[in-house]
Amino acid sequence: MQKIKSLMARQGLKSPQESMTDLSPVENFRIPSKEELRELREQPVDPQAEQEIINSIEEVYFSGDSFDMVRHELEKLPPELNLQELEEYRDKLKRQQAAVSKKVADLILEKQPSYVKELERVTSLQTNLQLAAVICTNARRQLSFAKEGFTEASLGLLANQRRRQLLTGLLKSLRTIKTLQRTDVRLSEMLEEEDYPGAIQLCLECQKAASTFKHYSCISELNSKLQDTLEQIEEQLDVALSKTCKHFDVAHYNKVQLAYSLLGKTQTAMDQLHMHFTQAIHNTVFQVVLGYVELCAGNADTKFQKMQYKDLCTHITPDSYIPCLTDLCKALWEVMLSYHRTMQWHEDHDNEEGVPVTDGNGTLGADESVFDRSYVKKKLEHGLTRIWQDVQLKVKAYLLGTDMSNFKYDDFIFVLDIISRLMQVGEEFCSSRSEVLQESVKKQSVNYFKNYHRTRLEELRMFLENETWELCPVKSNFNIMQLHEFKFMGQSRSPSVSPSRQASAANPAEVPLFKQYYQGGNPFEMHIDNKEEETEDVLASNGYESDELDKSIYQDYDSDSDVPEELKRDYVDEQTGDVPVKSVSRETIRSRKKSDYGLNKLNAPILTNTTLNVIRLVGKYMQMMNILKPIAFDVIHCMSQLFDYYLYAVYTFFGRNDMYESSGLGLISSRLRTTLNRIQESLIDMEAATESAGAHGTSEERKEKVPSPHLSQLVVLTASGTLYGLAERVVATESLVFLAEQFEFLQSHLDTVMPAAKKPFLQQFYSQTVSTASELRKPIYWIVAAKAIDYEQMLLLMTGVKWDIKEIMSQHNIYVDVLLKEFEQFNKRLGDVSKHVRIPLPVANVLWEHCIRLANRTLVEGYANVKKCSNEGRALMQLDFQQFLMKLEKLTDIRPIPDKEFVETYIKAYYLTENDMEQFIKNHREYSMKQLTNLVNVCLGSHINKKARQKLLAAIDDIDRPKR
């Protein structure tokens, strides 16, 4: 079918007869003749059969024009030809050709009407085209007539007039263009004068004029140049804006803000400003640190410029650390002050009546202006925290860049002071608690403090081992607040220490820093100057004070104002500290004063150089704690260790004596013993003395401990002439008591800075340790009392007395006189000691109490040694004891006489019956087994039978058994 279609396309639309004549010989051969066609038409044909014949034709016959059907059929012939088969095949091809020919003929006849109709339309179109050509010819002719008939002169005049008007407008434009070109010079002048608003205003006007003449090519170039100039102005404006970050100038900032408002870029300006502040902080700190690093490095080839700021901080030397930190804080203060003044400018500006703000197109709407102000305000408020965070991070990197553990104490405190002032700035700047700074300072402080405290404990041990326990001469009005280290307690605390402080208008230190230094100056410069103001005058010259001071002391002495609390008490129980309710008469107080040995003009506190050193250390620790509260617990714990070690040393040097501790008098309370054991376990390195035995504790545990101190060889405690080192014992013990009093004085201050969770530790320290200091008097002075009087001699004298006399004696025994003489000698030696060291009343009382107790117990022991005794002998015992009491009361003011009942009860027990004696044995366990046995044997020996005696002795044995 394709072959047929292509054939028809080449031949065009012809009649069937014509198309038949144009076929090629081959094609003509294939198509049937007219007669055949007629025959074909006339023959009845079955359409279905005809279609089947067409379908049986090979597909290749429909492939295209280039197909050679004859060659195709020849190639299909078999090698051996069979005539019959060839004829059959030929007949088949003829049938196929006949079917195709008939089909083609039918199609041609079917399309003939359409062909005729189309031919008619073509003829009609040709006619219309000829008519159009005639109309065009007529129109051209008429136009030629119009041109010839119109006056060319009139049109020439009109054209000249129009040209004149155009030239006049051009002249105006040229003059404007000339003016525009000259503005470039004026703009440069304005920029040099920093008149940014004027330059922008002029530039915007030029741009507006240039947009009117943009059709000129030169103006298009000028417009581009003006745009470049405007961008250049913006760049210079950005530089001018960056200058306000370090040194804020109101006039300068006014210009810059007005310029940005003319550009309509108020918000952009604020964004840029914050970027500049961030950059200013970075550049400032980098340059400051770089300057010091390069200065200290000298001619080193290290490329410090290319280092990161954090790495640069590690190259700061200890000598330049504080000056660099100070300069760093000064520079950062300038940046923050500039930001503060910027905020103040905007606040003041917003409060004023708004000036119409214009951009390139005219005045901005009121709503837009309000929105801009709101945006600026929020941006500035948000920027406060961001800028302070940047400052903290920069200072943190600097702080942690150097190991400060080996700094001098004053240097470290100075660093803390600077950071404390910086935290105060941060609190005022954006109400920040400066967690970043707090954490970094805490880290350095804990590191420094552990190292510092360890060194101080070692120093304290050295002080104690070289201490000769001589009196340190201080003025009578000495107070720890006079020391350098405690000056800070009298000053207003910095806000970083107490954020909730109440500002005092009267105190200039309480005026906000940003208000105080608004116009100039620097808070960190002032901080340095304050370091020079520390002075103290606490030592008495050569141990004595002026006559005027002596006079004032006498006057104070006569009044009750300076009388120690102990002196005002009638009687103080050493165990409970309770004071009787009854009032104390003035005469009693005066009489007590006489008993205060050495209570002379120099009624100064008793303390040693070591005590003063410990107090100074406490002050230093408190300074550090005051500046940095987060390490308050660590500091207070270390302070408690200072006191613990001092207490343990005094006890070890003067109070430890196993021989006298076993006396059964309860010299050391259970609370004191627990405290001493705790100190020994937690603080004292007991293995240091026995290193050869091998260390059992870990090195970390031992690092926290200190070896037990040893008493200096210069201190002699065995000489009877000095009352066995009484002066040294008094100085040591009373200096400890004085130290405890200072700790008591500081308790309220320590309580305010101690974290709530750790307050039980502080309370326990005061109740279990500080309050036990005065309890050391008993064991320490007991040793003196036990040696000062010869009790053994008295026992020997008592054994020589005959107690089984038959008549009542009126004269006491000689041993009483010997004992009283011993007491008089003791009193005299006390007076001698008091010439060198004042012996306070509580000390004198303890000494006398111990001596009297020992004497009374010696008397009972002497009476218990009696083998035979009559009732008259018992009366003699009472006479001796009453004589002893009478004379003793003249020597001492202690009332009542200690253990008086102990002796009297024992003497009276000799008069008891058998039944009463049994009850007595049960009720009086304070007597030894030997003393009770003597009562049974000597007193009742002749009046009771053996069985009753055995019963009483068994009762005594039952009482004594639990003690064994």
Side-chain angles (χ1 to χ4, degrees):
M1 291 304 290
Q2 290 176 356
K3 183 72 174 177
I4 294 169
K5 287 177 184 177
S6 63
L7 185 63
M8 290 176 69
R10 280 202 308 275
Q11 298 300 326
L13 290 175
K14 295 182 181 179
S15 64
Q17 294 78 10
E18 292 171 337
S19 61
M20 293 293 286
T21 59
D22 291 339
L23 293 172
S24 65
V26 178
E27 291 168 343
N28 193 22
F29 171 75
R30 294 176 184 167
I31 299 174
S33 63
K34 291 180 181 179
E35 289 79 10
E36 288 174 339
L37 288 172
R38 194 181 299 115
E39 287 174 6
L40 288 171
R41 284 196 301 274
E42 288 172 357
Q43 289 176 2
V45 180
D46 182 4
Q48 186 174 358
E50 185 180 335
Q51 186 62 40
E52 287 176 359
I53 292 168
I54 292 170
N55 291 341
S56 67
I57 300 171
E58 294 181 35
E59 283 294 329
V60 71
Y61 282 95
F62 302 102
S63 62
D65 295 343
S66 61
F67 174 63
D68 188 350
M69 61 189 73
V70 176
R71 183 172 181 171
H72 174 69
E73 289 300 336
L74 289 173
E75 286 175 352
K76 285 171 63 180
L77 291 176
E80 295 181 6
L81 300 176
N82 188 328
L83 180 60
Q84 187 179 352
E85 288 177 1
L86 285 174
E87 285 178 349
E88 285 176 3
Y89 187 64
R90 182 194 65 186
D91 291 342
K92 180 184 174 184
L93 289 174
K94 279 186 177 184
R95 283 195 299 276
Q96 289 175 349
Q97 182 184 15
V100 171
S101 298
K102 187 174 183 305
K103 188 72 173 177
V104 169
D106 290 344
L107 286 172
I108 290 169
L109 290 174
E110 185 182 347
K111 298 295 182 181
Q112 189 173 8
S114 298
Y115 168 74
V116 174
K117 188 176 179 182
E118 190 65 31
L119 194 59
E120 287 174 358
R121 285 178 62 196
V122 170
T123 308
S124 172
L125 180 61
Q126 186 176 7
T127 308
N128 288 337
L129 286 171
Q130 288 172 352
L131 179 60
V134 172
I135 293 170
C136 285
T137 305
N138 291 337
R140 284 179 181 175
R141 188 185 302 113
Q142 288 172 5
L143 279 172
S144 178
F145 290 154
K147 183 179 179 182
E148 291 172 2
F150 194 75
T151 308
E152 292 182 358
S154 300
L155 288 175
L157 287 172
L158 290 172
N160 288 334
Q161 178 62 26
R162 182 171 174 272
R163 191 178 293 113
R164 181 184 173 187
Q165 289 175 348
L166 289 172
L167 289 171
T168 305
L170 178 62
L171 186 60
K172 278 186 186 177
S173 299
L174 288 171
R175 285 175 179 160
T176 306
I177 289 168
K178 186 177 180 182
T179 307
L180 287 174
Q181 286 178 331
R182 289 178 178 172
T183 55
D184 190 32
V185 180
R186 179 60 188 144
L187 280 172
S188 299
E189 292 174 357
M190 286 182 163
L191 288 178
E192 286 180 8
E193 296 167 3
E194 294 188 350
D195 183 10
Y196 303 109
I200 290 170
Q201 187 74 45
L202 181 58
C203 200
L204 291 174
E205 288 174 2
C206 289
Q207 275 191 326
K208 191 175 180 181
S211 64
T212 310
F213 304 106
K214 62 185 176 182
H215 47 282
Y216 297 111
S217 59
C218 63
I219 287 299
S220 65
E221 293 175 6
L222 179 64
N223 204 9
S224 174
K225 188 174 181 181
L226 284 171
Q227 187 61 36
D228 292 342
T229 304
L230 197 59
E231 289 175 4
Q232 183 186 348
I233 292 172
E234 281 191 47
E235 288 175 7
Q236 292 197 22
L237 196 57
D238 194 48
V239 173
L241 184 65
S242 68
K243 290 179 181 176
T244 63
C245 296
K246 291 187 179 178
H247 304 288
F248 184 86
D249 180 68
V250 176
H252 180 77
Y253 195 70
N254 276 333
K255 287 181 185 178
V256 173
Q257 280 299 317
L258 181 55
Y260 271 112
S261 63
L262 288 170
L263 289 171
K265 294 185 176 181
T266 308
Q267 295 183 19
T268 308
M270 199 45 56
D271 296 339
Q272 287 294 111
L273 183 64
H274 281 82
M275 284 176 57
H276 288 314
F277 267 105
T278 304
Q279 192 65 30
I281 290 170
H282 175 77
N283 291 343
T284 299
V285 296
F286 188 83
Q287 290 303 322
V288 170
V289 176
L290 179 65
Y292 276 93
V293 169
E294 289 182 338
L295 185 68
C296 297
N299 298 323
D301 295 331
T302 313
K303 304 285 185 182
F304 294 118
Q305 287 277 3
K306 296 180 180 178
M307 279 189 180
Q308 292 290 327
Y309 170 73
K310 192 173 182 180
D311 298 329
L312 197 64
C313 290
T314 60
H315 288 78
I316 288 288
T317 61
D319 291 340
S320 60
Y321 188 86
I322 290 178
C324 183
L325 178 61
T326 307
D327 286 349
L328 203 64
C329 291
K330 284 181 189 175
L332 289 171
W333 162 261
E334 293 296 340
V335 175
M336 287 187 283
L337 180 62
S338 294
Y339 193 89
H340 179 80
R341 294 185 68 185
T342 302
M343 285 192 71
Q344 192 66 45
W345 185 92
H346 281 279
E347 190 177 325
D348 297 342
H349 190 68
D350 289 346
N351 293 337
E352 296 171 2
E353 272 195 1
V355 182
V357 183
T358 62
D359 59 7
N361 301 320
T363 305
L364 289 172
D367 292 343
E368 191 174 346
S369 177
V370 170
F371 176 76
D372 276 350
R373 284 201 295 272
S374 174
Y375 177 85
V376 167
K377 186 176 180 182
K378 287 180 180 176
K379 189 78 176 176
L380 284 168
E381 288 173 354
H382 177 68
L384 280 171
T385 310
R386 264 187 54 195
I387 285 172
W388 177 240
Q389 192 68 11
D390 286 345
V391 169
Q392 284 192 91
L393 291 172
K394 297 299 181 188
V395 177
K396 175 188 176 182
Y398 183 83
L399 281 175
L400 300 182
T402 302
D403 181 11
M404 300 169 64
S405 59
N406 294 316
F407 271 38
K408 292 180 182 176
Y409 176 81
D410 289 339
D411 290 344
F412 188 75
I413 285 296
F414 189 53
V415 170
L416 291 188
D417 277 348
I418 293 173
I419 301 302
S420 172
R421 179 58 63 96
L422 190 61
M423 288 181 191
Q424 181 183 353
V425 171
E427 186 181 4
E428 291 183 14
F429 189 67
C430 60
S431 302
S432 168
R433 297 191 62 81
S434 308
E435 286 84 359
V436 174
L437 281 179
Q438 294 254 17
E439 190 59 35
S440 56
V441 172
K442 180 182 178 182
K443 186 176 178 181
Q444 282 284 32
S445 297
V446 169
N447 182 35
Y448 176 83
F449 193 73
K450 283 183 178 178
N451 187 61
Y452 180 79
H453 177 62
R454 175 68 191 168
T455 310
R456 298 292 81 75
L457 275 178
E458 288 291 345
E459 282 184 5
L460 179 57
R461 180 167 76 98
M462 183 187 70
F463 268 102
L464 289 168
E465 290 183 347
N466 290 281
E467 178 64 68
T468 55
W469 303 103
E470 293 179 359
L471 202 60
C472 177
V474 292
K475 293 189 175 182
S476 58
N477 61 348
F478 171 73
N479 187 301
I480 61 169
M481 298 300 289
Q482 298 165 357
L483 298 173
H484 284 316
E485 289 76 11
F486 292 90
K487 292 281 185 180
F488 73 95
M489 289 181 66
Q491 299 167 353
S492 60
R493 291 198 293 259
S494 72
S496 61
V497 176
S498 178
S500 58
R501 76 199 186 288
Q502 298 294 323
S504 168
N507 190 350
E510 297 294 343
V511 177
L513 295 174
F514 283 99
K515 192 174 286 185
Q516 195 174 344
Y517 300 98
Y518 191 80
Q519 296 300 331
N522 197 299
F524 297 99
E525 286 178 355
M526 181 179 177
H527 198 62
I528 296 168
D529 296 339
N530 284 345
K531 293 295 288 181
E532 304 301 324
E533 295 176 7
E534 295 180 355
T535 55
E536 69 176 23
D537 181 21
V538 295
L539 296 178
S541 57
N542 300 322
Y544 297 96
E545 300 182 49
S546 65
D547 293 339
E548 289 77 8
L549 186 58
D550 294 343
K551 195 179 296 181
S552 67
I553 291 170
Y554 270 130
Q555 291 168 355
D556 290 343
Y557 199 95
D558 291 338
S559 69
D560 287 348
S561 60
D562 238 8
V563 178
E565 195 62 35
E566 295 97 330
L567 297 185
K568 296 180 183 179
R569 299 180 181 179
D570 187 33
Y571 169 71
V572 180
D573 189 332
E574 285 294 327
Q575 296 294 329
T576 63
D578 293 335
V579 184
V581 180
K582 68 176 184 177
S583 61
V584 185
S585 67
R586 193 173 182 85
E587 289 73 17
T588 305
I589 293 173
R590 288 183 181 278
S591 66
R592 297 274 161 80
K593 288 174 187 173
K594 293 174 185 175
S595 301
D596 192 355
Y597 290 87
L599 189 58
N600 49 27
K601 292 182 283 187
L602 190 59
N603 190 14
I606 296 176
L607 69 158
T608 66
N609 286 324
T610 305
T611 320
L612 202 57
N613 181 55
V614 172
I615 292 171
R616 288 186 187 278
L617 272 182
V618 169
K620 290 179 178 180
Y621 282 22
M622 289 183 68
Q623 278 184 41
M624 194 178 300
M625 174 178 59
N626 207 47
I627 293 169
L628 194 72
K629 279 188 176 179
I631 66 164
F633 172 70
D634 300 284
V635 176
I636 292 175
H637 181 256
C638 292
M639 282 171 56
S640 72
Q641 287 187 340
L642 293 175
F643 186 84
D644 287 349
Y645 197 67
Y646 195 94
L647 175 96
Y648 186 82
V650 171
Y651 167 74
T652 308
F653 293 168
F654 304 104
R656 178 183 284 171
N657 193 312
D658 297 333
M659 175 182 170
Y660 299 109
E661 283 181 14
S662 60
S663 61
L665 291 176
L667 296 175
I668 297 182
S669 65
S670 59
R671 183 175 63 162
L672 179 57
R673 190 172 297 282
T674 303
T675 298
L676 291 168
N677 290 336
R678 176 188 62 76
I679 295 171
Q680 183 169 305
E681 289 173 12
S682 63
L683 188 61
I684 307 303
D685 185 5
M686 302 303 293
E687 295 166 15
T690 57
E691 280 296 334
S692 58
H696 301 290
T698 64
S699 58
E700 282 301 317
E701 288 175 353
R702 292 193 61 189
K703 189 183 278 189
E704 301 297 324
K705 295 184 177 183
V706 192
S708 179
H710 303 288
L711 183 64
S712 171
Q713 294 180 352
L714 298 174
V715 180
V716 180
L717 301 179
T718 54
S720 60
T722 60
L723 266 181
Y724 306 94
L726 178 61
E728 288 83 356
R729 293 176 191 273
V730 169
V731 170
T733 311
E734 299 314 303
S735 67
L736 174 65
V737 173
F738 177 77
L739 187 61
E741 289 170 356
Q742 305 319 305
F743 269 82
E744 294 282 1
F745 170 72
L746 297 171
Q747 183 177 7
S748 59
H749 184 81
L750 296 178
D751 193 61
T752 57
V753 295
M754 189 68 147
K758 302 289 186 180
K759 284 192 177 181
F761 167 82
L762 187 66
Q763 293 164 0
Q764 187 177 12
F765 168 65
Y766 273 93
S767 62
Q768 298 294 327
T769 306
V770 176
S771 60
T772 60
S774 59
E775 293 181 17
L776 272 181
R777 285 170 172 161
K778 281 194 172 185
I780 289 173
Y781 297 135
W782 167 266
I783 296 171
V784 175
K787 294 179 179 181
I789 292 174
D790 193 350
Y791 304 103
E792 293 295 328
Q793 180 193 9
M794 188 174 71
L795 274 177
L796 288 172
L797 290 173
M798 290 178 74
T799 56
V801 177
K802 188 176 180 181
W803 299 105
D804 55 345
I805 54 176
K806 299 298 182 183
E807 57 184 33
I808 294 176
M809 304 292 291
S810 59
Q811 180 65 34
H812 60 271
N813 284 301
I814 192 169
Y815 74 86
V816 175
D817 295 328
V818 172
L819 182 60
L820 286 170
K821 191 174 181 181
E822 287 275 330
F823 271 101
E824 288 173 0
Q825 184 65 23
F826 172 71
N827 192 23
K828 180 177 178 298
R829 289 158 81 185
L830 273 181
D832 293 340
V833 172
S834 68
K835 292 176 183 176
H836 300 93
V837 176
R838 178 175 62 87
I839 300 179
L841 179 64
V843 177
N845 286 346
V846 168
L847 281 166
W848 276 102
E849 181 186 345
H850 282 332
C851 288
I852 294 168
R853 281 183 189 277
L854 284 167
N856 286 337
R857 286 173 182 271
T858 305
L859 287 173
V860 171
E861 188 66 20
Y863 297 151
N865 290 334
V866 175
K867 300 300 181 186
K868 293 181 180 180
C869 182
S870 62
N871 288 336
E872 291 80 7
R874 299 302 166 199
L876 180 58
M877 288 180 185
Q878 286 182 325
L879 175 66
D880 290 346
F881 186 60
Q882 291 302 320
Q883 177 69 19
F884 171 67
L885 290 179
M886 183 180 66
K887 293 289 181 69
L888 185 64
E889 285 177 351
K890 294 179 181 178
L891 292 175
T892 179
D893 290 332
I894 293 182
R895 302 291 186 276
I897 297 295
D899 282 353
K900 176 183 174 183
E901 294 81 4
F902 184 78
V903 181
E904 290 178 341
T905 304
Y906 190 80
I907 295 173
K908 290 175 183 176
Y910 279 86
Y911 301 104
L912 296 175
T913 62
E914 178 185 338
N915 293 332
D916 291 336
M917 180 62 75
E918 186 175 356
Q919 191 63 38
F920 179 87
I921 291 169
K922 291 178 182 179
N923 293 340
H924 292 276
R925 299 189 177 188
E926 67 269 24
Y927 298 107
S928 68
M929 184 179 176
K930 173 190 172 184
Q931 292 165 353
L932 293 173
T933 304
N934 181 266
L935 283 176
V936 173
N937 290 331
V938 177
C939 169
L940 302 175
S942 58
H943 306 309
I944 58 175
N945 57 32
K946 187 176 181 182
K947 185 177 180 181
R949 184 187 296 111
Q950 292 296 332
K951 180 183 175 183
L952 289 173
L953 292 175
I956 295 171
D957 192 55
D958 288 343
I959 292 171
D960 188 61
R961 191 175 290 115
K963 297 179 183 178
R964 283 181 262 172

